[in-house]
C-alpha cells in the first residue's frame, strides 16, 4: 500500500467488484468521506470476547477452541462496534450465517482483506490483520455468533459502591476552584479523566474511571460530575470536596455510551440514568448514590419495516426541562423514548417512531426541541419535548455527527442549529424558530463547504461570532490536524484554517485535532491534540476574538485527551 495526499491507493487489487457481486474496490480517492466513515465505524467494542460462549455451527469450517477464542477477541475489538455483538447489523451490514455461509470462505476472505466502498475497512491490506487472521475471521463469521452474558440487577448491585455516603459529604463547596470554569477532559486510553482549571490551565486532579470515557455530564446543581466509560462503568464525582473525588461508582453493563441526570424543576439531582450498548437496556439510579432502581430493555421492532431487532443500542440521552423525563435514543430501531421518572414503580413512556440509527444530538437554543442525528439515515430528527411528539425529520448530508450541535442566529434565516458530517465536507444549518421564522423552520436553510469529511464536532457559543468545525477523522493529514472556523456574520465568506496541531508542537504521531469546547466566558476555545499513547498529546487554547494561539497545556498525565466538557456549558446546555 502507499499513500497519496492522505488517501489510500492500492498498488493492486486482484478481486474486482464484478467478480464478487458487490463493491470491494476502493472509493476513498474519489470519495474520501468513506475513509472517515470507516475510521468511525471500526471502533472496538468494550465487550470482552472471553465473556461469550464458544459455539459450533453445521456447515461452517472447523475451528479449534484456541482459534475460536482468538477470533472472538478480534471480532469484539474490531467488528462488533459496527456489525453488532449479535451480528444482526447496526451501522454495518448483517453478518448472519445464512449470508456468510452462502457467500463462502474465499469471498469472505477477500471482503475482509480489501474492504468495500461502502465503508468496510480493508483489514488485511492495511496491515491491521495478517493473512492468517483474515482467514480465521472469514471462518469465524460462518459460525453462529457467541452471545455475551446478560447484565441485570444482581450484577449491577455487585459492582455498585458508595465510597463516600451522602451524609458524609460537605454541605458547601470546600475548595477555592471556579467550578463553573472547570473542564472535565477524557484521557481516553488511560481510563482516566483530568479536571483542569480554566483560569490557570493547571491540572487539578486526575481520576481513574472506566475505559475511554465517552461523555461527562453535570447534575442540575452543578455539584456532581458523572462520567461513563465505554466499558459501562459510571463514576460520580463530587466537585464540592476539598479535593474533588469519586463518591460512588457502578458498572451498568458491558458496553455503554450515555449518562444523564434529572433536570426538571423539583427533581434536580434526584435521578441518574445510563444507557448501554450491551445488553440493550437503560437503568435509572439514585442521583446521590447510583443505586440501581429500574432497568428497562430496548429490544423490539424497527421503524418502517417493523422487524424484530435483538440488539437496539442506547445512544444519546438528554434530560427534559419541560417534563420530569429523559429523552432516550434507541439506535437500531429508530425509536425515541420519553421516559417519565415521577414514579419508578409505574414508569410512563412515550415511544416515538423516527428514523433508524439514532446517535448524538442536543437542544435548540430555546431548550424545547431535541435535535438528534440518525447518522446512517442521513437525517436529523426533531423532537418537541414540550408537546412530547415528533416535530420533523430533516434530510441532511452523509452521516451527520454534530456532537450536541451549534446554536446561533443566522443573519438571514434567524435562529439555526448546525451539524457537520462524517461522510462529506458540508456543514448544514437548520432553522429552529417556527414562530418567528416559519418559512425557515425544520429545513436546511444554508449549506457551507468545510475542509472535508470526517467531522466529529461543531461548536459555537452565545458570546462568540465564530463557528468551529473539526475534521478529526479525515484521512488527510492537513484537515485532521487543524480546524475550520467561520464568521457567523459572514458565513458565505468561507473558512479560515487554524493549524492547531502545529501550534501544539508535540512532535511525531497522528495528532488528530478534536472537539472544540468553550470556557465559561465564551472567549476561549479549547482543542484536544489527540496523539497515540506512546507520543505526546496536548490541549490547545485559542483566543476566540483574535483566533490566535493563547496557551498550550502539556503534561505527561495528558494521555490521549479527547472529549472536553466545561462545567457551566455542560450544566446549562450551552452550545
Amino acid at each position: 500500500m502507499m499513500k497519496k495526499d492522505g488517501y489510500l491507493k492500492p498498488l493492486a487489487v486482484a478481486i474486482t467488484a464484478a467478480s464478487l457481486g458487490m463493491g470491494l474496490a476502493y472509493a476513498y480517492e474519489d470519495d474520501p468521506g468513506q475513509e472517515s466513515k470507516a475510521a468511525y465505524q471500526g471502533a472496538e467494542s468494550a465487550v470482552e470476547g472471553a465473556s461469550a460462549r464458544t459455539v459450533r455451527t453445521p456447515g461452517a469450517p472447523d475451528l479449534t477452541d484456541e482459534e475460536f477464542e482468538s477470533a472472538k477477541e478480534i471480532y469484539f475489538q474490531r467488528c462488533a462496534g459496527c456489525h453488532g455483538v449479535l451480528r444482526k447489523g447496526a451501522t454495518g451490514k448483517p453478518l448472519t450465517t445464512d449470508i456468510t455461509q452462502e457467500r463462502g470462505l474465499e469471498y469472505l476472505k477477500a471482503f475482509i482483506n480489501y474492504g468495500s466502498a461502502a465503508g468496510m475497512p480493508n483489514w488485511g491490506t492495511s496491515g491491521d490483520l495478517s493473512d492468517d487472521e483474515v482467514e480465521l475471521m472469514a471462518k469465524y463469521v460462518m459460525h453462529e455468533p457467541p452471545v455475551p452474558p446478560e447484565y441485570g440487577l444482581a450484577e449491577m448491585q455487585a459492582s455498585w459502591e458508595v465510597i463516600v455516603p451522602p451524609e458524609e459529604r460537605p454541605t458547601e463547596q470546600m475548595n477555592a476552584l471556579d467550578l463553573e470554569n472547570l473542564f472535565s477532559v477524557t484521557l481516553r486510553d488511560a481510563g482516566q479523566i483530568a479536571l483542569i482549571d480554566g483560569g490557570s490551565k493547571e491540572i487539578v486532579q486526575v481520576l481513574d474511571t472506566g475505559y475511554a470515557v465517552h461523555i461527562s455530564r453535570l447534575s442540575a446543581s452543578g455539584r456532581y460530575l458523572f462520567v461513563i466509560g465505554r466499558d459501562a462503568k459510571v463514576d460520580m464525582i463530587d466537585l464540592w470536596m476539598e479535593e474533588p473525588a469519586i463518591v460512588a461508582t457502578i458498572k451498568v453493563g458491558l458496553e455503554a455510551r450515555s449518562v444523564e441526570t434529572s433536570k426538571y424543576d423539583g427533581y434536580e439531582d434526584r435521578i441518574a440514568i445510563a444507557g448501554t450498548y450491551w445488553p440493550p437496556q437503560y437503568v435509572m439510579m439514585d442521583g446521590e448514590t447510583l443505586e440501581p432502581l429500574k432497568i428497562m430493555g430496548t429490544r423490539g421492532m424497527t421503524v418502517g419495516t417493523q422487524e424484530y431487532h435483538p440488539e437496539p443500542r442506547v445512544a444519546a440521552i438528554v434530560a427534559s426541562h419541560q417534563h420530569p423525563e429523559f429523552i432516550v435514543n434507541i439506535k437500531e430501531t429508530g425509536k425515541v423514548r420519553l421516559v417519565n421518572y415521577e414514579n419508578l414503580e409505574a414508569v410512563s413512556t412515550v415511544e416515538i417512531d423516527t428514523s433508524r440509527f439514532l446517535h448524538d444530538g442536543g437542544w435548540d437554543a430555546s431548550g424545547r426541541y431535541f435535535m438528534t442525528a440518525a447518522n446512517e439515515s442521513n437525517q436529523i430528527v426533531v423532537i418537541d419535548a414540550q408537546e412530547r411528539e415528533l416535530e420533523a425529520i430533516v434530510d441532511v448530508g452523509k452521516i451527520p455527527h454534530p456532537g450536541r450541535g451549534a446554536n446561533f442566529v443566522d443573519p438571514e434565516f434567524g435562529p439555526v442549529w448546525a451539524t457537520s458530517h462524517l461522510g462529506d465536507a458540508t456543514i448544514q444549518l437548520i432553522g429552529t424558530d417556527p414562530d418567528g421564522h416559519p418559512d425557515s423552520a425544520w429545513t436546511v436553510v444554508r449549506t457551507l463547504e468545510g475542509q472535508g469529511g470526517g467531522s466529529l464536532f461543531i461548536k459555537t457559543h452565545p458570546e462568540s461570532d465564530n463557528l468551529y468545525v473539526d475534521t478529526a477523522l479525515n484521512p488527510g493529514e492537513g484537515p485532521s490536524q487543524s480546524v475550520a472556523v467561520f464568521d457567523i456574520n459572514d458565513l458565505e465568506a468561507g473558512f479560515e484554517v487554524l493549524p492547531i496541531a502545529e501550534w501544539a508542537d508535540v512532535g511525531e504521531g497522528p495528532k488528530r485535532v478534536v472537539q472544540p469546547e468553550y470556557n465559561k466566558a465564551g472567549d476561549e476555545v479549547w482543542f484536544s491534540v489527540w496523539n497515540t499513547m506512546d507520543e505526546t498529546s496536548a490541549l490547545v487554547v485559542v483566543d476566540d476574538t483574535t483566533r490566535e494561539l493563547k496557551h498550550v497545556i502539556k503534561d505527561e498525565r495528558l494521555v490521549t485527551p479527547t472529549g472536553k466538557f466545561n462545567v457551566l456549558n455542560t450544566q446549562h446546555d450551552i452550545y
Side-chain angles (χ1 to χ4, degrees), residues 179-187 193-196 213-218 225-228 239 257 403-404 457 459 515-520 526 528 539 562-571 575:
L179 293 183
E180 291 186 339
N181 205 27
L182 194 68
F183 286 76
S184 173
V185 180
T186 296
L187 306 181
I193 64 159
L195 299 179
I196 301 181
V213 163
H214 194 67
I215 57 172
S216 298
R217 290 290 179 261
L218 271 297
L225 173 68
F226 294 79
V227 298
I228 188 165
L239 300 178
R257 295 294 188 279
R404 307 202 86 179
F457 297 99
K459 189 63 68 77
Q515 201 204 28
E517 178 72 349
Y518 281 83
N519 64 344
K520 76 169 184 177
W526 293 35
S528 296
L539 300 178
T562 51
K564 300 163 300 304
F565 302 87
N566 170 267
V567 165
L568 181 72
N569 295 335
T570 305
Q571 178 188 0
Y575 36 77

Side-chain angles (χ1 to χ4, degrees), residues 218-522:
L218 271 297
S219 65
S221 66
R223 171 179 183 170
Y224 292 115
L225 173 68
F226 294 79
V227 298
I228 188 165
R230 291 183 59 177
D231 56 0
K233 184 174 183 285
V234 179
D235 291 296
M236 178 181 177
I237 299 158
D238 188 352
L239 300 178
W240 280 11
M241 297 177 71
E242 187 172 347
E243 292 187 356
I246 295 170
V247 294
T249 186
I250 189 172
K251 188 171 169 60
V252 294
L254 301 181
E255 183 173 4
R257 295 294 188 279
S258 52
V259 67
E260 180 63 291
T261 66
S262 53
K263 302 283 178 65
Y264 187 68
D265 289 347
Y267 289 88
E268 296 92 339
D269 296 20
R270 285 175 55 180
I271 303 291
I273 185 173
T276 51
Y277 271 22
W278 187 268
Q281 61 193 30
Y282 50 92
V283 57
M284 285 181 278
M285 302 163 283
D286 184 281
E288 286 195 318
T289 67
L290 297 183
E291 177 186 4
L293 302 174
K294 183 76 171 183
I295 303 171
M296 303 184 73
T298 61
R299 293 177 172 101
M301 313 308 285
T302 62
V303 297
T305 56
Q306 298 191 54
E307 296 173 298
Y308 177 75
H309 200 294
E311 194 186 346
R313 301 178 290 183
V314 178
I317 301 176
V318 297
S320 174
H321 294 271
Q322 285 74 31
H323 301 279
E325 60 194 16
F326 296 112
I327 301 179
V328 181
N329 277 356
I330 314 297
K331 192 178 185 79
E332 278 69 34
T333 53
K335 308 289 184 73
V336 173
R337 289 189 186 176
L338 311 183
V339 183
N340 189 287
Y341 47 74
E342 289 179 287
N343 181 1
L344 296 187
E345 297 299 318
V347 175
S348 170
T349 301
V350 173
E351 186 171 87
I352 303 173
D353 287 0
T354 64
S355 186
R356 293 191 67 190
F357 311 112
L358 296 165
H359 192 60
D360 57 345
W363 295 101
D364 80 306
S366 74
R368 172 173 174 171
Y369 299 100
F370 176 49
M371 315 282 292
T372 185
N375 53 22
E376 284 292 314
S377 296
N378 302 324
Q379 294 176 322
I380 297 295
V381 171
V382 184
I383 299 295
D384 184 340
Q386 180 173 304
E387 298 299 325
R388 308 175 83 206
E389 63 187 16
L390 176 67
E391 179 72 14
I393 296 178
V394 185
D395 291 329
V396 291
K398 294 177 66 175
I399 320 174
H401 194 286
R404 307 202 86 179
N407 288 300
F408 56 95
V409 177
D410 182 276
E412 182 176 352
F413 300 104
V416 295
W417 179 92
T419 182
S420 52
H421 300 84
L422 276 158
D424 65 38
T426 64
I427 297 96
Q428 294 192 303
L429 281 54
I430 298 171
T432 59
D433 183 18
D435 295 328
H437 297 78
D439 293 340
S440 301
W442 319 131
T443 62
V444 174
V445 297
R446 194 187 295 272
T447 297
L448 309 174
E449 286 292 322
Q451 289 200 87
S455 177
L456 288 176
F457 297 99
I458 184 170
K459 189 63 68 77
T460 189
H461 188 278
E463 299 301 321
S464 174
D465 291 325
N466 291 320
L467 177 68
Y468 295 89
V469 185
D470 73 18
T471 38
L473 294 186
N474 190 284
E477 184 176 279
S480 69
Q481 295 185 4
S482 61
V483 297
V485 54
F486 293 83
D487 182 346
I488 287 172
N489 299 309
D490 190 11
L491 291 165
E492 297 301 330
F495 58 85
E496 179 184 358
V497 176
L498 303 187
I500 303 297
E502 178 184 325
W503 286 346
D505 190 25
V506 294
E508 298 299 318
K511 302 186 289 289
R512 297 185 184 275
V513 173
V514 65
Q515 201 204 28
E517 178 72 349
Y518 281 83
N519 64 344
K520 76 169 184 177

Side-chain angles (χ1 to χ4, degrees), residues 116-170:
S116 82
M120 169 78 169
N122 54 315
W123 294 113
T125 55
S126 67
D128 288 295
L129 297 181
S130 68
D131 290 345
D132 289 343
E133 287 173 327
V134 167
E135 181 167 358
L136 174 64
M137 295 310 297
K139 293 178 178 178
Y140 173 76
V141 296
M142 297 172 75
H143 289 265
E144 289 291 341
V147 181
E150 299 293 322
Y151 202 94
L153 183 62
E155 290 80 9
M156 291 184 196
Q157 288 177 329
S159 72
W160 171 49
E161 182 181 4
V162 179
I163 301 164
V164 182
E167 62 271 17
E168 296 180 15
R169 298 172 196 167

